[in-house]
Amino acid sequence: MVPHPANVRRRIRQLKDYLILSSDWISYAIIDDITDVFAPRIQAIEEEVDDIDDSILRLHSNEDNDSPPNASIKVMPKDTEKRSEAGEGTTADSGADMLRRVGDCRKRVMGLYRLLGNKPDVIKGFAKRCNERWEVAPRSEIGLFLGDIQDHVVTMTGNLGHYEKILSRSHSNYLAQINIRMNERQEQTADVLGRLTVLGTIVLPMNIITGLWGMNCLVPGQDVDSLTWFWC
């Protein structure tokens, strides 16, 4: 739990020589402190979104690099080999829980967006009352401060919407990569089954003939020394 009153009191002690303390300014300071609490959370979400997006792109690039070259084999430096080995481990680990990471991050983004979605209109209403110079409204300079808070809230909500779009794109890209890999596996399975079918088509008649002539029973042409009976 964030101690907002304690933060406001500390701010008053720091600025007591530069401001005229009033209940209007204290109300503004509390609102500003509550707004500042969201900034570290949004910064953490931004880092998580960037990491998820980069991980999904690296996952796709590592799959392309793992495919054997068709032309020639090139000798890679040792540091590149070490990075590739580390990348393979990271890919395996990130691929296992990527959907969970995307889901958790989108849940946090939508939770913050739900908290901040309608707050700009509320702050705008407060600032409007301050600028109209009502007798019960705060002074106009408090309205300017509230306008600054409104700008911060609008910026944060815009950033959250941008992060949601990035996560949606990353989610679609990851599912598309899974579908591509499943199609590749299906093609490989179909290729193997086709080869087994050709092999079975060749071996099955031979098996029938050898099995038929290997039984202890009468078969056509058993008492004939030539193949005339077969062609006639």
Side-chain angles (χ1 to χ4, degrees), residues 95-113:
D97 61 347
M98 186 59 66
L99 289 177
R100 181 183 59 81
R101 289 181 61 191
V102 173
D104 292 343
C105 192
R106 295 185 76 173
K107 183 177 180 181
R108 284 187 292 165
V109 168
M110 295 309 298
L112 291 177
Y113 192 82

Side-chain angles (χ1 to χ4, degrees), residues 157-201:
T157 53
N159 290 337
L160 290 174
H162 178 64
Y163 302 152
E164 171 61 23
K165 291 180 181 178
I166 294 177
L167 289 173
S168 178
R169 184 193 64 187
S170 300
H171 195 181
S172 300
N173 291 338
Y174 184 70
L175 294 179
Q177 292 179 16
I178 293 178
N179 291 330
I180 291 173
R181 279 184 286 176
M182 291 178 62
N183 292 332
E184 291 177 352
R185 298 297 184 273
Q186 292 177 358
E187 291 178 358
Q188 293 176 359
T189 304
D191 186 32
V192 172
L193 291 177
R195 295 180 181 180
L196 291 177
T197 303
V198 173
L199 181 62
T201 304

Side-chain angles (χ1 to χ4, degrees), residues 30-68:
I30 293 175
I31 297 173
D32 187 44
D33 188 73
I34 294 173
T35 304
D36 291 339
V37 171
F38 290 94
R41 299 174 183 267
I42 295 178
Q43 181 66 29
I45 289 177
E46 180 181 1
E47 295 176 357
E48 179 70 13
V49 168
D50 293 338
D51 184 60
I52 289 174
D53 193 19
D54 294 340
S55 299
I56 292 178
L57 294 178
R58 285 198 305 267
L59 179 64
H60 182 67
S61 61
N62 287 333
E63 288 179 357
D64 294 339
N65 293 331
D66 290 339
S67 60

Side-chain angles (χ1 to χ4, degrees), residues 54-55 58-59 61-63 65-66 76-95:
D54 294 340
S55 299
R58 285 198 305 267
L59 179 64
S61 61
N62 287 333
E63 288 179 357
N65 293 331
D66 290 339
M76 298 175 62
K78 294 183 178 180
D79 56 348
T80 307
E81 293 178 356
K82 293 180 181 179
R83 288 197 301 268
S84 63
E85 292 176 358
E88 290 177 0
T90 305
T91 300
D93 296 337
S94 62

Side-chain angles (χ1 to χ4, degrees), residues 16 21 41 59 90 130 140 152-153 163 168 172 200 204:
K16 62 181 179 180
L21 186 63
R41 299 174 183 267
L59 179 64
T90 305
C130 294
S140 59
H152 291 170
V153 176
Y163 302 152
S168 178
S172 300
L204 184 59

